[in-house]
Amino acid sequence: MQFWNYLIIRLIQAIFVTLLVVTIVFFVSRLVGNPEETMLPPLVTSTEDKERFRELLGLNDPLHVQYGNFLLDLGKGDFGTSWRGGGTSTLDSIGDRALNTVKLGVAGVVFALALAVPLGIIAALRRGTTVDWLARFVAVIGQATPSFWLGLMMIFFFSVQLGWFPTGGAEEGFRSLILPAIALGLFELVAIMRLTRSGMIEVMDTDFVRTARAKGLSERTVIWRHGVRHALLPVVTMLGLSLGRLIGGTVIIEMVFAWPGVGRLIIDSILKNDFPMVQASIIVLAASIALVNLFVDVSYRFIDPRIRAGAA
Amino acid sequence: MAAGTADAVEFQPGMRRRRIRWRRYIGLSVPALIALVVLIAGVFAELLQTHDPEFIDLAARLAPPVFDGGTWAHPLGTDELGRDIYSRLLHGARVSLIVVGIVVPGAALFGTLIGLVSGWVGGMTGQILMRVVDLQLALPAILFAVLMASLVGPSLTNVIVILLFWTWPSYSRLVRADVLSLRERDFVTASRAVGAAPTWIMRKHLLPNVLNTIVIVMTLEVALVVLAEAALSFLSVGVPPGTSSWGRMITEGRDTMNVAWWPIWLPGLTLLIISLTGNLMGDWLRDALDPRLRNLR
């Protein structure tokens, strides 16, 4: 029963956050933007035409009426029509691209986890050795490297010079995915590795690990059952929290690698002045982030029994 | 016995203290020196430049740097439009300095204020403030940058506003956490008991105790802000064309990446070194002031 209460509260919060984003997007765009200037050819358009255009888009209505209509349309699943490409629904275009963005994001996280967790564990268990030193070196450099520059450099060396991977696009399936995933995942890799390392160091000093050793468990059991499981808890939290950063990163990486995802759709739409498309993409992205954050919070209760028992 | 006397000499208290104090600052000296160089480069860009950073000289396009067969006319070579890379890097430093100089203190000030208030007042107001803070996690800055750029076109002001908006919540979250535990401490209770006003308690008791945290976060944020500005400019939603920003230089260098390494490597390496510098200084400060913040990022 307590669980359902919690779920409902979190659901309301997620809806609230999404609504807030939608509202910000609406007001920022209405207050800052000037569609008749950006949309119509500047010198040849008469004042009457501009006026007709404003009337057509409903821009002469009072702001609260516009806002109401905007929300009603969203509620009906109508996210607007693209100003380019013969009036296609924005939602359809986003749907086509979303799968690619998800693929890239998942690949980035998988890459980061697959390397960071073992590296972090080994670095913690062999503190002060070459492995530890190497891990920290990678962490310091990795955190300081601009991902887009790294991406370009990898294209240059591995695609242009060596010809191992395609230079961009998503046509070659898995081979196309490798370089973008590395460029996207590097920053997360560093963060996860640091957390794993410090978590492991902390947990290996605790009483329950000493007890586990004292009662004669093998070192492998101590490390995996008592150490790693404990050290990975904060990693789960951080992965959830870093989702926003990850999606921001996807936008950049998609541009570098010409990856046909939502991020590239947004940037392309800006360059083409396709405002409804930009607006719809941002709302969809924000809503998905809110949803995944909700999912992370809820699943965390299953992973960590202390939270379930606590008052949270 | 001889070894014993040698030890005795080495462990004289005064000597030891001096040596350790000196060594503590080695870790800081290199990053501090680099930071100083960047500061001078950005402030005195006009005096140090060899060419106008936006001067296009197609006759001198893609001239290599002097250590790769070039001439001293363009010490770090030129880009595809014949613009002098050394001079552009100097002016790029200025853009980064302006952005960092406004965003980091501005965000720290505002974020700290919100953190103090929401931690001290608590209750409904505190909860609402923290939900606003959490918005940062739900909305990547880049999306906002993109939205603004699509509405009013790219500009330096945009970059600053967006990065301010995006970075202040980090301070609030940490300051609030600190305040929540500080408010239960005896010296705060005592101050309340004698009737001190909340603003007095915040200024005299809470702020001095969270100052370390704020300074550390500010230092660590420098690298983040520099990289973010470069990323926005790289996506052409940052500084407008015709401005020398390191991010823009990388975008422009990518077309000639296959024939000339310097237009893309030099700004990239500069960025790498600068953010490395910021992180190292932050790490050093954190270790010196407050080791418990180890897991900050």
Side-chain angles (χ1 to χ4, degrees):
Chain A
M1 208 51 233
Q2 201 196 8
F3 171 75
W4 290 109
N5 282 340
Y6 172 75
L7 192 67
I8 288 167
I9 292 174
R10 280 300 283 112
L11 202 63
I12 292 171
Q13 280 178 356
I15 293 171
F16 174 71
V17 166
T18 312
L19 209 62
L20 208 57
V21 169
V22 169
T23 310
I24 293 174
V25 168
F26 174 83
F27 280 103
V28 167
S29 58
R30 291 306 127 94
L31 294 179
V32 184
N34 203 353
E36 73 266 24
E37 300 296 333
T38 33
M39 278 299 293
L40 301 175
L43 295 174
V44 292
T45 314
S46 65
T47 326
E48 295 86 67
D49 280 347
K50 281 183 184 169
E51 205 41 52
R52 271 227 319 278
F53 179 75
R54 287 189 70 87
E55 197 61 53
L56 203 68
L57 290 184
L59 292 174
N60 286 337
D61 298 338
L63 211 55
H64 63 270
V65 176
Q66 287 187 47
Y67 182 58
N69 287 336
F70 179 67
L71 284 188
L72 272 177
D73 285 348
L74 287 186
K76 282 184 277 183
D78 177 9
F79 281 58
T81 315
S82 170
W83 281 347
R84 309 279 153 160
T88 43
S89 146
T90 50
L91 212 53
D92 289 348
S93 312
I94 296 168
D96 293 344
R97 304 288 200 101
L99 188 65
N100 280 327
T101 296
V102 171
K103 253 193 229 165
L104 179 57
V106 170
V109 172
V110 168
F111 160 75
L113 275 175
L115 272 180
V117 170
L119 213 57
I121 294 173
I122 295 171
L125 294 177
R126 312 230 167 115
R127 218 178 336 164
T129 61
T130 322
V131 183
D132 187 21
W133 186 86
L134 199 76
R136 278 160 69 181
F137 182 74
V138 169
V140 170
I141 297 292
Q143 204 167 33
T145 313
S147 63
F148 57 95
W149 186 67
L150 176 77
L152 289 172
M153 290 296 119
M154 286 199 300
I155 293 176
F156 180 64
F157 284 116
F158 297 117
S159 307
V160 178
Q161 300 270 324
L162 298 170
W164 291 353
F165 303 103
T167 52
E171 287 82 25
E172 290 188 40
F174 185 65
R175 259 163 36 99
S176 302
L177 195 58
I178 294 174
L179 291 185
I182 294 177
L184 180 68
L186 187 71
F187 199 87
E188 305 308 318
L189 187 151
V190 171
I192 297 171
M193 190 177 70
R194 282 187 155 185
L195 262 185
T196 313
R197 179 177 178 274
S198 61
M200 266 314 263
I201 289 176
E202 222 164 83
V203 74
M204 293 313 273
D205 274 345
T206 55
D207 289 341
F208 68 82
V209 166
R210 188 146 31 98
T211 310
R213 283 201 175 116
K215 70 183 183 188
L217 292 180
S218 70
E219 192 61 20
R220 180 207 288 253
T221 318
V222 172
I223 290 172
W224 286 101
R225 293 284 300 268
H226 295 262
V228 174
R229 269 176 55 164
H230 200 89
L232 285 187
L233 272 178
V235 173
V236 178
T237 322
M238 198 218 62
L239 273 182
L241 292 179
S242 64
L243 199 81
R245 190 172 64 205
L246 201 69
I247 290 196
T250 328
V251 177
I252 299 172
I253 299 299
E254 282 177 10
M255 286 309 284
V256 173
F257 288 94
W259 184 261
V262 181
R264 203 164 139 240
L265 178 70
I266 296 183
I267 303 280
D268 285 347
S269 307
I270 293 180
L271 298 178
K272 285 189 279 184
N273 261 330
D274 189 353
F275 186 69
M277 193 65 116
V278 178
Q279 184 172 275
S281 314
I282 290 177
I283 293 171
V284 169
L285 279 185
S288 14
I289 294 174
L291 211 66
V292 176
N293 276 338
L294 170 75
F295 178 73
V296 169
D297 276 4
V298 172
S299 60
Y300 201 63
R301 289 168 66 91
F302 288 97
I303 301 172
D304 190 351
R306 282 173 306 184
I307 295 182
R308 232 178 304 160
Chain B
M1 254 9 257
T5 22
D7 276 352
V9 171
E10 216 172 76
F11 282 113
Q12 267 180 15
M15 264 180 82
R16 188 180 183 205
R17 198 177 306 132
R18 205 150 72 217
R19 176 172 297 172
I20 287 171
R21 283 180 77 100
W22 184 73
R23 282 188 57 168
R24 266 186 74 178
Y25 290 93
I26 293 182
L28 187 66
S29 60
V30 176
L33 201 69
I34 295 175
L36 192 69
V37 169
V38 176
L39 195 69
I40 293 172
V43 173
F44 300 108
E46 276 86 5
L47 295 174
L48 296 167
Q49 72 188 31
T50 54
H51 296 77
D52 181 336
E54 298 307 322
F55 179 70
I56 294 171
D57 179 8
L58 289 176
R61 61 194 297 264
L62 294 180
V66 69
F67 47 84
D68 194 31
T71 62
W72 279 104
H74 297 285
L76 294 181
T78 58
D79 65 7
E80 56 171 341
L81 296 175
R83 291 175 293 193
D84 183 59
I85 289 181
Y86 163 72
S87 307
R88 300 203 81 202
L89 283 179
L90 292 178
H91 286 265
R94 172 170 298 173
V95 171
S96 297
L97 280 178
I98 293 174
V99 173
V100 165
I102 299 177
V103 169
V104 172
L109 206 68
F110 187 67
T112 305
L113 196 70
I114 298 290
L116 276 178
V117 171
S118 88
W120 182 255
V121 177
M124 193 65 183
T125 320
Q127 279 297 319
I128 291 176
L129 283 176
M130 284 330 276
R131 287 283 87 78
V132 176
V133 165
D134 283 345
L135 253 189
Q136 176 214 32
L137 296 170
L139 199 76
I142 244 160
L143 295 186
F144 253 115
V146 160
L147 183 69
M148 293 285 281
S150 74
L151 291 166
V152 293
S155 77
L156 187 61
T157 321
N158 266 358
V159 175
I160 291 171
V161 169
I162 287 153
L163 291 182
L164 264 177
F165 195 80
W166 186 53
T167 51
W168 70 263
S170 335
Y171 300 93
S172 300
R173 212 171 287 128
L174 286 166
V175 167
R176 178 183 144 96
D178 275 0
V179 168
L180 283 179
S181 73
L182 281 171
R183 56 182 291 179
E184 308 301 331
R185 299 272 291 273
D186 287 343
F187 62 90
V188 176
T189 319
S191 194
R192 289 174 80 171
V194 297
T199 45
W200 170 271
I201 297 178
M202 282 185 201
R203 221 173 54 233
K204 293 287 173 179
H205 295 303
L206 301 181
L207 195 58
N209 276 303
V210 294
L211 216 54
N212 275 352
T213 311
I214 298 168
V215 170
I216 294 164
V217 179
M218 280 176 81
T219 324
L220 288 171
E221 288 277 315
V222 168
L224 213 66
V225 169
V226 169
L227 286 185
E229 183 272 318
L232 293 180
S233 299
F234 171 78
L235 290 177
S236 46
V237 294
V239 300
T243 315
S244 306
S245 144
W246 295 330
R248 277 211 78 84
M249 290 174 75
I250 291 177
T251 319
E252 289 157 3
R254 80 188 277 191
D255 299 331
T256 51
M257 187 164 69
N258 297 337
V259 288
W261 60 270
W262 53 92
I264 189 162
W265 266 93
L266 294 176
L269 281 180
T270 312
L271 266 176
L272 179 65
I273 292 171
I274 304 299
S275 60
L276 201 59
T277 301
N279 285 339
L280 288 178
M281 282 176 93
D283 287 349
W284 187 90
L285 267 179
R286 184 189 52 199
D287 291 344
L289 296 177
D290 198 350
R292 84 196 150 82
L293 289 175
R294 200 166 28 132
N295 291 336
L296 211 59
R297 279 202 285 163

